[in-house]
Amino acid sequence: MNAKDLYFAYQVKHALDERIESLPAATTERLACSRKIALSRRKKQNTLRFHAMQNIVAGPIGHLVNAPLTLLGRLGVAAPLLAGVLIFVGLYEYEHEQRIAEIAEIDVAVLSDELPLSAYADQGFNAFLAKRDD
């Protein structure tokens, strides 16, 4: 139905609602019968269209999409998310601890060596270390 048809149907309904008391009994019976027929046809058409659209949109598991989430369903969604966050935080902490351990190892090597700290800041010392590693 387009907008014109809907507007016309609204006007007819409004006019019938205003004058329902003054209509003859035969007319009201015919209108009631027509309404029943229209409603029976409309339900059949909408039911078929609904089932067809449900299969197109949701597929064969459409009942899972339309079902409300129970507590178990909510846990099924939240548990993987929580596990992912915990794994991410755990990996971050592990890498942070590894970095601290490496820095501490370098500090221990520098402090236990007999060279003065100023030697490590000298550019020539860096060149000496580079040649020694080759």
Side-chain angles (χ1 to χ4, degrees), residues 90-112:
L91 287 174
Y92 174 79
E93 287 297 322
Y94 175 75
E95 290 294 326
H96 187 67
E97 291 295 323
Q98 291 295 325
R99 193 174 328 126
I100 290 173
E102 288 174 4
I103 292 172
E105 185 178 321
I106 292 170
D107 286 345
V108 167
V110 168
L111 292 174
S112 65

Side-chain angles (χ1 to χ4, degrees), residues 22-128:
S22 62
L23 290 176
T27 305
T28 56
E29 287 177 19
R30 281 196 342 238
L31 285 173
C33 183
S34 298
R35 182 177 187 275
K36 287 179 185 177
I37 292 170
L39 286 177
S40 68
R41 288 180 186 165
R42 179 176 169 96
K43 286 182 182 177
K44 288 178 185 176
Q45 290 173 353
N46 280 345
T47 304
L48 292 175
R49 186 180 305 156
F50 174 74
H51 288 301
M53 291 302 292
Q54 183 180 11
N55 286 336
I56 291 170
V57 173
I61 58 169
H63 64 282
L64 296 176
V65 174
N66 295 330
L69 285 179
T70 61
L71 179 61
L72 187 60
R74 289 183 183 140
L75 286 176
V77 171
L81 291 175
L82 183 62
V85 169
L86 289 175
I87 289 172
F88 179 73
V89 169
L91 287 174
Y92 174 79
E93 287 297 322
Y94 175 75
E95 290 294 326
H96 187 67
E97 291 295 323
Q98 291 295 325
R99 193 174 328 126
I100 290 173
E102 288 174 4
I103 292 172
E105 185 178 321
I106 292 170
D107 286 345
V108 167
V110 168
L111 292 174
S112 65
D113 198 11
E114 295 179 6
L115 286 175
L117 292 178
S118 60
Y120 290 103
D122 186 18
Q123 293 296 330
F125 183 69
N126 288 334
F128 169 73

Side-chain angles (χ1 to χ4, degrees), residues 1-9:
M1 286 184 104
N2 59 21
K4 280 181 157 181
D5 292 338
L6 287 174
Y7 183 70
F8 177 72

